[in-house]
């Protein structure tokens, strides 16, 4: 009699056991998961078959990647690298990188602009050729000169600017700008000031120029910027640290590059010699109109002294316009302005861009009422020995004024005009 149950017809395994061909319904359900057959257990027992984590039809039946654990399915909880959603962009990092890129670009542009502007500076005046110079004082002193040179002007330009056809080079205006810690001061030196032109060895001619009494602007006509600096230093005792000169055409070009300069007049201005013709009120002056205004001296109260006051006001307004955001932040306006300014200005050999910027910044401050604007103290007009009409300085006020500038003290001396 057999030991196997009646009706068992399956094959026997190596242990003598058999596999039934009449499998119960419950067993078939357990062996099927969502229609995927589960392979029969191998003879090796429960651990036999695919290794732990190996691909199986169980995984496939649930739509998971073969070989992944239950928590590694696509979109499931704790999704792994293959099925994980993309991380959100790091906006803070992007902003940081953008700012760094912008700063680097601005640095490159700034450095490039500096070297471009520096290369355009016309460093033509040699102050080391000036003889017997005073000792340096506190602060920085600039001698700012407006010349009436027609060099480089076409016939059309001369007609438009009403410059005439005079040859040579003379000064229409001379100013000392003192920049210091106790307030900046702008002091005009009238062109008709009667002074001593000291002896000097000409930097261009090489000739020894004898000492002589003359109008201040004659020193410039005789031997140019170096003798003018020598004459100013000799008569004031003040050391001139830097020199800046602008001609008629350059002045007009600079104003036009800025897009004009606003000036306001309390009374109508009209002068047939300079071409100035402005109604009472505020006007945006172009280059030609600006030149007419600063050269007008025949129809202005105080004559030459009144003209120097107008020149101070205009130069301060010009410097203010040069430093406005509309100019500085607009490359289409900034670069033409810098180009026109560099082409127009003649400076000393030691002038740096920082020195030039300091000069303009000080003049900008003066336009806002900071510091002092005045004419050199004048004793009054007189007839010079050669019969010319001239102006004589009031040395009782000039001496303490120059002492205050040398020591960088607050200016308390009152000028004329």
């Amino acid at each position: 009699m057999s030991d196997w149950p009646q009706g068992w017809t399956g094959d026997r395994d190596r242990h003598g056991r058999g596999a039934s061909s009449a499998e119960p319904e419950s067993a078939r359900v357990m062996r099927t998961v969502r229609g995927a057959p589960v392979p029969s257990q191998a003879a090796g027992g429960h651990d036999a078959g695919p290794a732990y984590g190996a691909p199986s039809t169980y995984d496939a039946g649930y739509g998971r990647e073969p070989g992944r654990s239950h928590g590694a399915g696509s979109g499931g909880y704790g999704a792994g690298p293959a099925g994980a959603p993309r991380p959100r962009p790091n906006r803070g990092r992007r902003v940081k990188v953008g700012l760094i890129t912008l700063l680097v670009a601005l640095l490159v542009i700034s450095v490039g602009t500096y070297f471009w502007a520096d290369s355009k500076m016309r460093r033509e005046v040699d102050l080391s050729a000036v003889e017997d110079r005073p000792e340096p004082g506190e602060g920085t002193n600039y001698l700012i000169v407006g010349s009436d040179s027609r060099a480089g002007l076409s016939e059309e330009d001369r007609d438009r600017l009403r410059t005439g056809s005079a040859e040579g080079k003379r000064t229409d205006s001379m100013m000392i700008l003192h920049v210091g810690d106790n307030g900046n001061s702008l002091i005009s030196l009238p062109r008709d000031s009667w002074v001593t032109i000291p002896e000097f060895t000409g930097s261009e001619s090489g000739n020894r120029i004898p000492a002589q009494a003359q109008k201040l602007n004659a020193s410039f006509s005789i031997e140019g910027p170096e003798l003018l600096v020598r004459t100013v230093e000799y008569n004031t005792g003040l050391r001139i640290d830097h020199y800046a000169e602008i001609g008629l055409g350059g002045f007009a070009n600079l104003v036009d590059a800025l897009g004009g300069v606003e000036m306001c007049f309390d009374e109508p201005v009209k002068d047939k010699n300079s071409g100035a013709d402005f109604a009472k009120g505020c006007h945006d002056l172009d280059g030609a109109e600006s030149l007419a205004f600063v050269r007008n001296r025949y129809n202005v109260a105080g004559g030459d002294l009144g003209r120097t006051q107008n020149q101070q006001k205009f130069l301060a307004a010009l410097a203010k316009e040069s430093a406005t955001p509309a100019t500085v932040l607009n490359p289409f306006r900034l670069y033409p302005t810098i180009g026109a300014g560099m082409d127009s200005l003649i400076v000393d050999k030691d002038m740096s861009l920082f020195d030039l910027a300091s000069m303009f910044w000080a003049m900008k401050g003066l336009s806002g009422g900071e510091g002092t604007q005045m004419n050199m103290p004048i004793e009054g007009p007189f007839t010079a020995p050669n019969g010319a009409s001239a102006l004589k300085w009031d040395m009782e006020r000039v001496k303490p004024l120059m002492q205050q500038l040398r020591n960088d003290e607050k200016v308390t001396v009152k000028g004329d005009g």
Side-chain angles (χ1 to χ4, degrees):
M1 182 174 177
S2 171
D3 293 332
W4 303 107
Q6 187 175 358
W8 190 278
T9 58
D11 295 332
R12 296 182 181 181
D13 61 16
R14 59 188 179 91
H15 296 291
R17 296 190 296 256
S20 173
S21 60
E23 187 177 28
E25 181 66 21
S26 61
R28 286 197 302 272
V29 171
M30 292 299 294
R31 292 184 57 191
T32 305
V33 179
R34 293 191 179 181
V38 178
S40 301
Q41 184 173 322
H46 179 79
D47 292 332
Y52 180 77
S56 69
T57 54
Y58 178 89
D59 290 324
Y62 273 86
R64 297 188 177 97
E65 268 187 50
R68 291 199 177 274
S69 66
H70 289 204
S74 175
Y77 296 105
R86 293 182 180 179
R88 293 181 179 179
N90 191 333
R91 293 182 179 178
R93 182 174 180 275
R94 288 183 178 181
V95 171
K96 184 177 180 181
V97 171
L99 288 175
I100 293 175
T101 302
L102 178 61
L103 290 175
V104 171
L106 290 175
L107 179 62
V108 171
I109 292 172
S110 299
V111 171
T113 300
Y114 175 89
F115 284 106
W116 168 72
D118 186 76
S119 68
K120 292 179 70 66
M121 289 184 70
R122 298 173 60 186
R123 297 182 175 95
E124 300 176 8
V125 178
D126 185 8
L127 294 184
S128 67
V130 179
E131 305 169 9
D132 301 327
R133 309 198 66 190
E135 290 296 320
E138 300 296 325
T140 304
N141 299 311
Y142 298 83
L143 182 60
I144 303 172
V145 175
S147 78
D148 65 357
S149 172
R150 280 81 172 167
L153 294 179
S154 65
E155 288 297 327
E156 181 181 352
D157 289 334
R158 294 188 183 198
D159 291 340
R160 178 175 63 88
L161 301 177
R162 300 174 71 97
T163 64
S165 57
E167 298 300 327
K169 191 165 73 167
R170 288 158 294 277
T171 55
D172 263 5
S173 61
M174 292 159 283
M175 304 177 191
I176 294 174
L177 173 65
H178 175 79
V179 179
D181 295 331
N182 290 298
N184 304 322
S185 301
L186 185 62
I187 302 166
S188 288
L189 309 176
R191 55 183 279 176
D192 291 339
S193 299
W194 192 256
V195 297
T196 297
I197 298 177
E199 60 180 353
F200 180 73
T201 300
S203 56
E204 295 181 6
S205 65
N207 298 326
R208 189 65 179 175
I209 298 168
Q212 54 194 289
Q214 281 274 19
K215 290 183 179 181
L216 179 59
N217 66 340
S219 61
F220 187 81
S221 301
I222 293 170
E223 198 60 42
E226 288 82 6
L227 181 55
L228 175 60
V229 171
R230 166 85 167 116
T231 302
V232 170
E233 289 187 342
Y234 181 86
N235 287 273
T236 64
L238 192 68
R239 174 88 169 221
I240 299 299
D241 299 295
H242 293 293
Y243 176 92
E245 174 193 330
I246 187 168
L248 298 179
F251 179 84
N253 290 339
L254 178 57
V255 173
D256 286 335
L258 281 170
V261 174
E262 184 182 62
M263 291 296 295
C264 297
F265 309 112
D266 296 329
E267 299 293 337
V269 178
K270 189 175 181 65
D271 176 38
K272 65 178 182 179
N273 294 289
S274 67
D277 188 4
F278 311 112
K280 179 181 177 180
C282 296
H283 302 265
D284 284 324
L285 306 185
D286 63 18
E289 293 169 334
S290 299
L291 191 58
F293 171 66
V294 299
R295 298 184 70 205
N296 172 34
R297 67 171 181 164
Y298 295 102
N299 187 27
V300 60
D304 199 39
L305 294 179
R307 180 173 75 156
T308 56
Q309 287 180 316
N310 287 340
Q311 290 170 346
Q312 289 184 358
K313 292 176 183 177
F314 186 86
L315 287 180
L318 177 67
K320 180 180 179 181
E321 184 65 30
S322 301
T324 59
T327 298
V328 176
L329 301 179
N330 183 356
F332 297 102
R333 191 171 175 183
L334 175 63
Y335 285 97
T337 299
I338 293 176
M342 296 300 103
D343 289 339
S344 305
L345 283 173
I346 296 174
V347 299
D348 64 273
K349 292 185 176 180
D350 293 327
M351 177 84 86
S352 69
L353 275 179
F354 293 109
D355 295 324
L356 189 61
S358 176
M359 183 185 81
F360 271 92
W361 194 259
M363 293 177 66
K364 174 183 177 294
L366 290 168
S367 70
E370 301 174 9
T372 302
Q373 297 185 68
M374 60 188 290
N375 276 314
M376 184 68 88
I378 299 297
E379 184 178 297
F382 83 110
T383 302
N386 61 4
S389 177
L391 295 172
K392 194 172 185 179
W393 292 356
D394 182 357
M395 297 309 296
E396 290 186 2
R397 287 184 289 163
V398 169
K399 287 181 179 179
L401 173 60
M402 295 300 112
Q403 185 67 27
Q404 289 174 349
L405 296 180
R406 270 194 301 274
N407 296 336
D408 191 25
E409 299 170 352
K410 183 176 177 60
V411 171
T412 60
V413 176
K414 300 300 181 182
D416 287 272

